Each structure stands twice: as structure tokens, then as C-alpha cells.
Amino acid sequence: KIQRDGLSEFADYFSKSVLCVKTLNTNPHLQKKVETMISKQNPENIALVLGALASRKDLTAELSKIKCPTLVITGSEDKIIPPAACETLAKSIPQAHFEIIEGCGHLPNLESPDKFNLILDQFLGNLKGKFQNEEHHYIHQQISSGSAPKVSRK
């Protein structure tokens, strides 16, 4: 339908779906901004992304293999991925930190940028402190015979 009819109807519907009711009522220009961002995309690309999302396989069992600190942020009013699903996702990742931003939908970075950035800054600050107190060794391996030589740093 997107490829046939274009993006206007989808952009209007989806931009209203990703923002919470409070944002739609108090900040209508944000909905228009999201709608415009969607409308500027290639309809074929949007259709391909939606198809890929609809057909993706469940990789929940793989989440426990993630070995790096992970931040999962969601909005309390997210209709696309409910907060409970995000919490389950975070609980499945060994080093995950989970945050809910109240009064936001699927785009808390746009709906509540100050809160979002504060959470992100705190998370990154904690990582910085952790990694400054640990000794790390990086070994870059050659990917193929034509790539850069192996480099070892200690």
C-alpha cells in the first residue's frame, strides 16, 4: 500500500502512534516534525523495513550472549513496544540497565530530550568510571589477507 499510495497516510498514522497522547496534545509541532521525517523517506525503503520487521525471527534466546553494558530506555506510554516487553528484554541481557521515562511514547529522545539525555549521560558516565578503573588490552585482528596488519596494544 505504501509503494502504491505513497507515504502521507502512513506518516500521519505512524507519527501519531509513536508519540504519547500528552505529547500530541501539548506539542503538536513534534508530531508534524516526525511526520515530515517519515514523509521524506523513500516509500520503497519504508516498505522494505516494515517487511523485515514483520518477518524477523525471535532472537530472545540470544540476548543472554550480549556481554557489554546495555542501556534500554522506553517511554511509559509506548504503544509500539510496551514497557513490559522492554523490561523483559533488559532482564534477558546480563549487564542491562533499564529505564522508563514517564509521559513518553516510543520516541522518548524527542518527547523528553532532557530526561533522556540525563539517563544517557549517567549511563555513559558510569561506564567511563568503570573502564578508567580497569586495565584493558585491545587486539585488532586481521579480517582478511588484504586488510591492515595485526596490531596489539597493551
Side-chain angles (χ1 to χ4, degrees):
K1 180 174 171 146
I2 289 172
Q3 289 173 312
R4 184 186 70 235
D5 299 335
L7 285 173
S8 340
E9 186 179 322
F10 172 76
D12 178 63
Y13 166 78
F14 195 73
S15 64
K16 291 175 181 170
S17 298
V18 294
L19 301 171
C20 75
V21 173
K22 176 184 165 196
T23 299
L24 292 171
N25 290 331
T26 62
N27 194 355
H29 77 274
L30 181 57
Q31 183 266 325
K32 285 297 179 190
K33 180 179 178 179
V34 172
E35 183 179 348
T36 299
M37 288 189 304
I38 295 168
S39 297
K40 288 182 178 180
Q41 304 308 307
N42 179 327
E44 185 176 321
N45 292 344
I46 296 284
L48 288 170
V49 167
L50 293 173
L53 287 171
S55 65
R56 70 183 183 264
K57 66 180 187 174
D58 183 3
L59 296 173
T60 304
E62 303 296 315
L63 294 173
S64 64
K65 296 177 183 176
I66 297 173
K67 302 298 180 202
C68 62
T70 304
L71 176 59
V72 178
I73 302 174
T74 188
S76 63
E77 310 301 316
D78 192 335
K79 294 176 272 188
I80 306 298
I81 305 174
C86 292
E87 185 174 17
T88 299
L89 175 106
K91 286 180 177 179
S92 301
I93 301 171
Q95 297 183 60
H97 180 76
F98 177 64
E99 292 280 349
I100 296 177
I101 299 179
E102 293 298 322
C104 291
H106 191 66
L107 301 176
N109 58 316
L110 297 179
E111 291 179 89
S112 188
D114 292 340
K115 288 179 186 175
F116 182 90
N117 288 334
L118 178 64
I119 291 167
L120 183 59
D121 285 346
Q122 289 172 341
F123 179 77
L124 295 174
N126 289 338
L127 287 182
K128 183 179 175 184
K130 177 181 178 184
F131 288 119
Q132 283 178 339
N133 295 327
E134 293 180 10
E135 192 174 326
H136 292 278
H137 304 286
Y138 298 95
I139 299 175
H140 301 278
Q141 296 181 344
Q142 187 172 342
I143 295 171
S144 68
S145 59
S147 65
K150 292 180 184 180
V151 175
S152 178
R153 264 191 252 171
K154 290 189 179 186

